[in-house]
Amino acid sequence: MPAVVQMRTPEKAVSDRDGRDLVELARSRDIDDRQRLLLSIVALCEASPPGSDAAPVLSEVFLTLARQAERDVRKILSQRLSQVDWAPPALINMLALDEIEIAAPILAASPLLQDADLIRVLVEATLEHQIAVARRPYLSGVVADAIIDRGDAVTMTALASNRTALITDTSMGRLVDQSRRIAGLRAPLSRHPRLSEAQAQQLYQWVGQALRQSIGERFRIDFQLLDAAIQQAADDASRTAGAAGWRAMSAQGRRTEQDDRPEMERRLVDKLKTSGQLRPGLLVRALREERLSLFEEALAALGGFPISAIRAAVRAPTAEALYLACVAVGVDRAVFASLLTEVRKLAGGLPTEARWSASAMHPQAAARAFRQMMETPSNV
């Protein structure tokens, strides 16, 4: 039977002996012990003011408990800590990346989650986690931009439905542009308080009649005149371009949308790098999502390599250059084989199966070898 944890008043700090007892109790594998310990520690933290001598001890106890805790205990912990400002940030970040039922309260309300933490969730966690981030009250413009940069329709729709999100005018314009191809964005955007009149007129062109009336009433737009202007523009284009011209314009529109994707992914990688959240795990995730250009941008940024060199390595006669680049940024040799399989699926079978074998290398040596190889004219 473990010793009972005695509660302390705010004026009394936790002694070293008390701290050691709590750590030992946290190592207990008994579920009931963990439950009692959890409630005792939460109550103790609520009674102990931030910045007290107890903080380091409590941080260690919390992390020890959370790593060993059962699912139900972690769920209670998440609910109790979702709105406090005294919890260890490392614990909050761990809970934010837990399964969604545990992470949801933290993602929705924790004041300890910084922009970099939320961007990390967008990159590393599930779609459900990404949606929870997009719905977070008063979401910052930096995180909103990261969501738009990723270009996922479901997450952007959740962001558009978040009326408290601090979406800038430029970012709102990007969402309106995206609504041309993503129908689910149109209704929430038409009701968003940050939608400007100019953006409403643009949105008006590709929404249904009900939303047109709603937009017209909200912004006092003369939708009869606007409809006439849109129809006149379509008629003029039809007369001058003809059927073949319309097909060419549609093809150009598709090319423009495809051309926008690399730029969005470059911005996403830049944000991750600036916030210190760019990690090799993004390479695997990008390939799983069939986003070869995001893989290339991330690999170039991780290694400090020119993007042209990475693209050349992906399309090289052998996988040697790509292997060197991946090892240089910390990809394990055992992981590279599966990574290479995914690259070949997206790059038309390249790099090819030419004779070559991977050898163990230090990351710095691999980086030097990659740069030397890609400086060779035949590999440019």
Side-chain angles (χ1 to χ4, degrees), residues 257-274:
E257 183 176 322
Q258 292 171 355
D259 291 342
D260 287 344
R261 170 69 68 172
E263 180 59 30
M264 291 169 61
E265 292 176 339
R266 276 193 293 272
R267 288 198 295 265
L268 172 61
V269 170
D270 287 343
K271 282 187 173 65
L272 292 173
K273 186 174 182 179
T274 301

Side-chain angles (χ1 to χ4, degrees), residues 112-160:
L112 296 174
L113 286 177
Q114 304 299 311
D115 286 349
D117 303 324
L118 294 170
I119 291 174
R120 179 186 177 190
V121 173
L122 291 175
V123 174
E124 297 185 6
T126 68
L127 179 60
E128 288 79 7
H129 288 73
Q130 296 169 33
I131 293 171
V133 170
R135 291 174 175 168
R136 181 179 169 91
Y138 302 101
L139 192 71
S140 77
V142 172
V143 182
D145 284 345
I147 291 172
I148 300 171
D149 289 343
R150 290 181 61 79
D152 179 79
V154 176
T155 314
M156 285 194 297
T157 301
L159 175 64

Side-chain angles (χ1 to χ4, degrees), residues 7 17 24 75 78 80 85 90 92 206 221 228 240 303 349 352:
M7 303 308 300
R17 181 174 180 179
E24 288 302 318
K75 188 173 182 180
S78 175
R80 293 286 296 270
D85 59 2
I92 294 299
W206 46 77
I221 296 172
T240 56
T352 58

Side-chain angles (χ1 to χ4, degrees), residues 5 7 12 50 56 67 98 150 164-165 191 202 214 228 243 268 273 325 348-349 357 359:
V5 178
M7 303 308 300
K12 295 182 179 180
R67 290 191 184 105
D98 210 321
R150 290 181 61 79
T164 65
R191 297 187 290 268
Q202 182 182 358
S214 175
L268 172 61
K273 186 174 182 179
S357 59
S359 58

Side-chain angles (χ1 to χ4, degrees), residues 4 9 12 33 91 101-102 136 154 160 197 217 258 306 351:
V4 176
T9 64
K12 295 182 179 180
D33 283 350
L91 173 61
E101 289 189 9
I102 296 171
R136 181 179 169 91
V154 176
E197 183 171 341
E217 292 172 352
Q258 292 171 355

